[in-house]
């Protein structure tokens, strides 16, 4: 009975520990209303329109323009950027390209997705996608790993007929992330997120800029730190090892001992 009570208490603690981890790993629902989302894009890194994850931003432009947006991404997230370009009637095929840059304006490679696509002359739209690598909490200075901070989206046409240059187009952009969690955790953390402009600003201007670009992570800033759900699974492994030891002891207790014979029997 004692072994049964110990096993029951350990399994209860295991369930309580795994519950929050499973809740944290579930993706948060994206915004469906899109109210307040930007309706215009920037024309450079400095003027990039700020968007939050889960909302759909729209913009109008002309073929040949560079359209820029920015969004925040934190440690453990794997962002997915999707863009749709609505095309007018035109004379030839067009090739559109979606590029993503980090806070240091380093172009980030896409794990998969149609980053560049050619639209036929009669196509009404073209869809692009880029799934980035998981954002790391720390990296070597020489590496090109994605780090927490601001990311930039650049959408532009890279090949078209000269007669189609300058025609009006419409664009839609959306960013979603999957929380990878402790599977991508590393030993170390970035001192400050790669958010251009925050380091050189001070006072109320600095705080206001931080709240604007990090609004999707709340007023307290970035969520990265020493804690990750791998600590939960490490604890679960320790509990399972203890249970295995208790079970092994219960199974082998008394084996090999001579049975007691009453005196005079």
């Amino acid at each position: 009975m004692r072994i049964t009570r110990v096993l029951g208490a350990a399994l209860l603690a295991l369930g309580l520990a795994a519950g929050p981890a499973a809740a944290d790993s579930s993706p948060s629902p994206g915004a469906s209303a899109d109210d307040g989302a930007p309706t215009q894009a920037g024309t450079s890194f400095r003027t990039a329109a700020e968007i939050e994850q889960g909302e759909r931003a729209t913009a109008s432009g002309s073929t040949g323009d560079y359209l820029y947006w920015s969004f925040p991404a934190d440690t453990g997230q794997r962002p997915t950027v999707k863009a749709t370009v609505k095309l007018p009637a035109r004379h030839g095929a067009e090739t559109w390209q979606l590029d993503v840059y980090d806070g240091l304006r380093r172009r980030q490679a896409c794990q998969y997705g149609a980053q560049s696509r050619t639209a036929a002359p009669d196509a009404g739209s073209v869809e692009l996608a880029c799934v980035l690598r998981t954002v790391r909490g720390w990296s070597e200075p020489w590496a090109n790993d994605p780090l927490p901070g601001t990311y930039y989206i650049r959408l532009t046409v890279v090949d078209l007929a000269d007669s189609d240059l300058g025609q009006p187009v419409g664009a839609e952009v959306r960013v979603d992330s999957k929380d990878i969690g402790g599977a991508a955790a590393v030993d170390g953390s970035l001192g400050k997120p790669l958010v251009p402009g925050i380091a050189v600003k001070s006072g109320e201007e600095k705080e206001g800029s931080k709240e604007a670009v990090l609004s999707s992570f709340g007023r307290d800033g970035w969520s990265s730190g020493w804690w990750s759900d791998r600590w939960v699974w490490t604890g679960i492994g320790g509990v399972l090892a203890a249970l295995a030891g208790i079970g092994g002891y219960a199974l082998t207790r008394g084996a090999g001992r001579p049975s007691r014979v009453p005196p005079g029997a």
Side-chain angles (χ1 to χ4, degrees):
M1 294 296 295
R2 182 183 304 175
I3 297 298
T4 303
R5 289 195 298 268
V6 171
L7 291 175
L11 291 175
L12 178 60
L14 181 63
L16 293 176
D24 292 341
S25 62
S26 59
S28 58
S32 58
D34 294 339
D35 291 338
T39 57
Q40 292 294 330
T43 57
S44 66
F45 287 103
R46 291 181 176 272
T47 61
E50 295 177 357
I51 63 175
E52 296 185 3
Q53 294 188 20
E55 69 179 7
R56 184 176 66 252
T58 59
S60 300
S62 302
T63 51
D65 292 343
Y66 285 92
L67 304 179
Y68 287 84
W69 296 267
S70 66
F71 68 93
D74 201 7
T75 302
Q77 292 184 338
R78 186 171 64 191
T80 298
V81 182
K82 296 182 179 180
T84 301
V85 183
K86 298 179 180 179
L87 303 171
R90 57 200 181 279
H91 299 87
E94 292 182 0
T95 301
W96 287 78
Q97 183 166 310
L98 177 70
D99 295 308
V100 182
Y101 299 82
D102 64 7
L104 299 179
R105 301 181 185 178
R106 302 176 302 181
R107 184 175 180 273
Q108 292 294 314
C110 300
Q111 280 189 314
Y112 50 87
Q115 186 180 4
S116 179
R117 179 170 286 179
T118 300
D122 57 347
S125 64
V126 59
E127 296 183 356
L128 307 170
C130 176
V131 180
L132 296 175
R133 295 172 294 168
T134 304
V135 178
R136 297 164 53 91
W138 178 84
S139 177
E140 294 289 348
W142 47 262
N144 195 34
D145 296 321
L147 296 171
T150 299
Y151 283 78
Y152 295 94
I153 304 170
R154 187 178 73 180
L155 180 64
T156 188
V157 62
V158 294
D159 186 24
L160 78 165
D162 293 339
S163 57
D164 293 330
L165 188 64
Q167 289 192 355
V169 295
E172 294 182 359
V173 172
R174 181 184 175 96
V175 181
D176 295 290
S177 287
K178 180 179 180 181
D179 189 5
I180 304 302
V186 294
D187 294 330
S189 61
L190 197 65
K192 290 187 178 296
L194 302 179
V195 180
I198 286 185
V200 298
K201 295 181 179 180
S202 61
E204 297 180 355
E205 183 182 4
K206 176 179 179 179
E207 184 64 25
S209 175
K210 182 178 181 180
E211 289 185 358
V213 74
L214 308 184
S215 56
S216 63
F217 294 108
R219 299 176 61 88
D220 294 333
W222 296 82
S223 63
S224 58
W226 65 272
W227 172 258
S228 70
D229 59 4
R230 67 174 178 171
W231 290 100
V232 175
W233 296 111
T234 301
I236 292 174
V239 172
L240 293 177
L243 293 178
I246 295 174
Y249 174 77
L251 293 174
T252 59
R253 183 178 57 179
R257 294 182 180 179
S259 58
R260 294 184 178 182
V261 179

